[in-house]
């Protein structure tokens, strides 16, 4: 009887360990709901979406990733559409989505980016650093005015460089163009303290300033051309939220952007997908299905009955064969080949090669590969260096390369400079 109780206790411990490692745990409730078109809270977009419906402006709520933007069901015509996105994203954006978004805008569409730079809504209280995503989308650079950062509101920046919690900063237009017709002032609201930011152009494409803060005269809204399309960036995510859209001339600005962006047959697309409302597999719904719970309970009951049964468990026969090192290497190689993308393996090989060069020859560490040093080395053949450059550029753009060709090139160069 004692042995059965010990077995039962060990089985219970095994079940507890399985639950801890593999089954999802209830997540802590979010501080605030994300900015969705279904959000009726102060920071939702139900008011904006309702206004579009009342005025009969063709609109669509996007529940798919950006690589579906060119589908007829999303964009009925290839040009003359407007996409409204809010940053930071709650859903990770894949690299191919960025490329699809660039092509969509370049074709002749408009992208309106509402980024929580100079304001911090409640739903952005615990967000990670989203500047890489914002830089990738807008091709602009952003620098905080002081040592504080967007990811840490407990910075040591001077109070003049921070927007206090609950601030209602008023914006004023910077010129007289069609997008700003009838706009004299804009209202904003920052629920939490927020760092002030400066933006700069990353390319030679012209950037037009649209609005400034009335208190500091710092620019906070920009218009940037992108191919045949355009990108409008607002440093305030609260500009068209439920609590602010009816104040000042915010609704007039939205109407102007709509009229300026849309062409006959075009559509306004509001991105809810990357705020969590994505039409993909939902693990939470799967684990909440009662049929799964009943199935697991039956499996646990049968397993416990088998463990506590009268049949004695036979010990496994010892493996007297030696360790097959070649088989271990093959299994390890298959594992890495299954979990690593070829382009990630190629990038790792290149980074390891350049880092080895810097350590061995005392080169300065930096983000760029030491191309000048390699070109000046007498032992490096020009064809090998050109091939290495080509492979490096392809990996940086996410294209797949031949790992065998890359390893051969690295080995040839390493043998000549060692």
């Amino acid at each position: 009887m004692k042995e059965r109780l010990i077995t039962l206790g060990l089985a219970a411990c095994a079940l507890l360990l399985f639950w801890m490692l593999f089954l999802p745990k209830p997540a802590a409730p979010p501080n605030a709901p994300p900015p969705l078109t279904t959000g009726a809270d102060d920071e939702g977009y139900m008011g904006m979406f309702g206004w579009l419906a009342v005025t009969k402006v063709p609109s669509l709520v996007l529940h798919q990733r950006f690589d579906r933007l060119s589908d007829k069901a999303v964009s009925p015509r290839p040009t003359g559409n407007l996409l409204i996105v809010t940053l930071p994203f709650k859903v990770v954006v894949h690299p191919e989505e960025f490329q699809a978004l660039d092509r969509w805008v370049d074709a002749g569409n408009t992208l309106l980016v509402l980024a929580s730079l100079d304001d911090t809504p409640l739903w952005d209280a615990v967000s990670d650093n989203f500047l890489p995503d914002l830089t990738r989308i807008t091709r602009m650079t952003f620098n905080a005015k002081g040592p504080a950062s967007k990811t840490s509101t407990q910075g040591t920046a001077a109070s003049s460089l921070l927007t206090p919690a609950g601030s209602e900063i008023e914006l004023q237009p910077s010129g007289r163009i069609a997008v700003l017709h009838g706009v004299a002032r804009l209202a904003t609201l920052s629920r939490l303290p927020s760092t002030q930011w400066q933006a700069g152009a990353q390319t030679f494409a012209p950037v037009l300033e649209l609005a400034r803060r009335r208190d500091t005269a710092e620019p906070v809204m920009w218009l940037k051309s992108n191919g045949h399309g355009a990108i409008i960036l607002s440093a305030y995510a609260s500009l068209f939220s439920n609590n602010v859209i009816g104040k000042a001339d915010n609704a007039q600005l939205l109407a102007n952007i709509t009229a300026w962006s849309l062409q006959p047959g075009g559509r306004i697309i509001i991105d809810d997908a990357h705020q969590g409302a994505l039409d993909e597999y939902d693990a939470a719904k799967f684990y909440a299905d009662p049929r799964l719970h009943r199935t697991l309970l039956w499996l646990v009951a049968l397993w416990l009955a088998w463990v506590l049964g009268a049949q004695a468990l036979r010990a496994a026969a010892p493996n007297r064969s030696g360790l097959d090192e070649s088989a271990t290497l093959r299994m390890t190689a298959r594992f890495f080949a299954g979990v690593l993308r070829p382009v990630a393996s190629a990038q790792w090989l290149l980074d390891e090669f350049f880092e080895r060069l810097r350590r061995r020859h005392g080169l300065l560490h930096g983000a760029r590969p030491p191309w000048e040093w390699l070109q000046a080395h007498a032992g490096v053949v020009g064809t090998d260096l050109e091939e290495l450059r080509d492979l490096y550029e392809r990996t940086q753009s996410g294209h797949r390369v031949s790992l065998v060709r890359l390893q051969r090139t690295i080995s040839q160069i390493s043998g000549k400079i060692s």
Side-chain angles (χ1 to χ4, degrees):
M1 183 64 182
K2 181 179 179 181
E3 294 179 354
R4 296 297 179 189
L5 292 177
I6 294 176
T7 304
L8 178 61
L10 293 175
C13 291
L15 286 175
L16 178 61
L17 182 62
F18 175 80
W19 179 81
M20 293 174 60
L21 294 177
F22 296 102
L23 294 183
K25 313 304 179 294
N31 293 335
L36 299 172
T37 55
T38 56
D41 58 293
D42 288 346
E43 297 177 335
Y45 289 147
M46 179 178 286
M48 176 176 63
F49 189 66
W51 174 80
L52 293 174
V54 170
T55 55
K56 297 183 179 180
V57 176
S59 56
L60 172 73
V61 179
L62 183 66
H63 294 289
Q64 299 169 319
R65 294 192 176 271
F66 290 145
D67 50 11
R68 304 295 299 276
L69 277 174
S70 299
D71 293 356
K72 288 291 185 180
V74 178
S75 302
R77 54 169 294 158
T79 61
N81 302 288
L82 170 64
L83 172 64
I84 302 176
V85 301
T86 305
L87 271 78
F89 294 129
K90 301 297 181 184
V91 176
V92 175
V93 182
H94 298 161
E96 56 269 20
E97 290 187 78
F98 286 120
Q99 299 171 8
L101 183 59
D102 288 340
R103 292 193 298 269
W104 186 82
V105 175
D106 181 76
N109 298 290
T110 304
L111 173 64
L112 172 59
V113 181
L114 304 174
S116 61
L117 286 172
D118 278 33
D119 65 348
T120 303
L122 294 178
W123 49 265
D124 187 26
V126 293
S127 297
D128 295 330
N129 181 20
F130 66 92
L131 291 182
D133 287 343
L134 183 59
T135 301
R136 175 63 182 81
I137 290 176
T138 61
R139 303 293 184 179
M140 297 175 66
T141 58
F142 303 92
N143 298 298
K145 296 181 62 178
S149 65
K150 190 66 176 176
T151 56
S152 175
T153 58
Q154 304 298 326
T156 58
S159 59
S160 61
L161 300 182
L162 292 175
T163 301
S167 298
E168 298 183 4
I169 303 299
E170 187 173 293
L171 311 182
Q172 60 185 8
S174 299
R176 296 183 178 181
I177 60 176
V179 178
L180 301 175
H181 179 71
V183 177
R185 60 189 183 92
L186 298 170
T188 66
L189 175 62
S190 182
R191 295 284 188 178
L192 301 174
S194 181
T195 307
Q196 299 178 26
W197 292 81
Q198 293 177 323
Q202 195 178 54
T203 63
F204 293 105
V207 178
L208 178 64
E209 176 189 321
L210 294 181
R212 290 175 172 261
R213 291 173 60 129
R214 188 176 292 273
D215 55 348
T216 64
E218 290 291 337
V220 291
M221 188 180 299
W222 304 269
L223 171 62
K224 179 177 180 291
S225 62
N226 190 82
H228 297 287
I231 298 176
I232 300 175
L233 169 62
S234 168
Y236 284 87
S238 61
L239 203 58
F240 301 130
S241 61
N242 294 335
N243 194 39
V244 179
I245 191 172
K247 298 180 180 179
D249 299 318
N250 293 39
Q252 181 63 48
L253 176 63
L254 178 60
N256 291 350
I257 294 175
T258 300
W260 182 78
S261 305
L262 292 189
Q263 296 179 9
R267 172 183 287 172
I268 291 184
I269 306 167
I270 305 176
D271 175 38
D272 274 6
H274 295 87
Q275 294 300 330
L278 185 63
D279 286 344
E280 288 186 357
Y281 168 74
D282 191 343
K285 292 182 180 180
F286 172 75
Y287 284 106
D289 194 328
R291 294 172 295 180
L292 175 64
H293 301 166
R294 290 194 293 267
T295 302
L296 290 176
L297 288 176
W298 272 106
L299 291 175
V300 169
L302 293 174
W303 180 70
L304 287 175
W306 177 77
V307 169
L308 299 177
Q311 183 179 0
L313 298 179
R314 292 176 295 178
N319 184 12
R320 301 185 183 277
S321 60
L323 179 64
D324 188 352
E325 296 182 357
S326 60
T328 304
L329 290 175
R330 285 195 298 271
M331 291 297 294
T332 305
R334 291 196 188 102
F335 169 76
F336 282 111
V339 299
L340 288 178
R341 296 172 58 229
V343 66
S345 301
Q347 290 173 353
W348 181 87
L349 284 173
L350 287 166
D351 292 341
E352 183 67 19
F353 169 65
F354 293 136
E355 185 62 25
R356 189 167 63 251
L357 281 181
R358 296 186 184 101
R359 290 197 305 266
R360 180 175 300 176
H361 299 282
L363 303 178
L364 294 177
H365 289 269
R368 293 185 68 256
W371 297 120
E372 294 80 3
W373 187 89
L374 287 171
Q375 188 173 5
H377 198 284
V380 180
V381 181
T383 55
D384 293 340
L385 184 57
E386 291 179 1
E387 185 170 9
L388 184 64
R389 277 180 179 270
D390 178 65
L391 293 171
Y392 175 79
E393 292 174 357
R394 288 179 61 82
T395 58
Q396 291 301 304
S397 59
H399 291 89
R400 184 171 181 174
V401 299
S402 173
L403 295 179
V404 175
R405 175 188 171 194
L406 175 60
Q407 181 59 41
R408 184 175 63 250
T409 305
I410 291 176
S411 298
Q412 289 175 353
I413 295 177
S414 297
K416 295 175 181 178
I417 63 178
S418 58

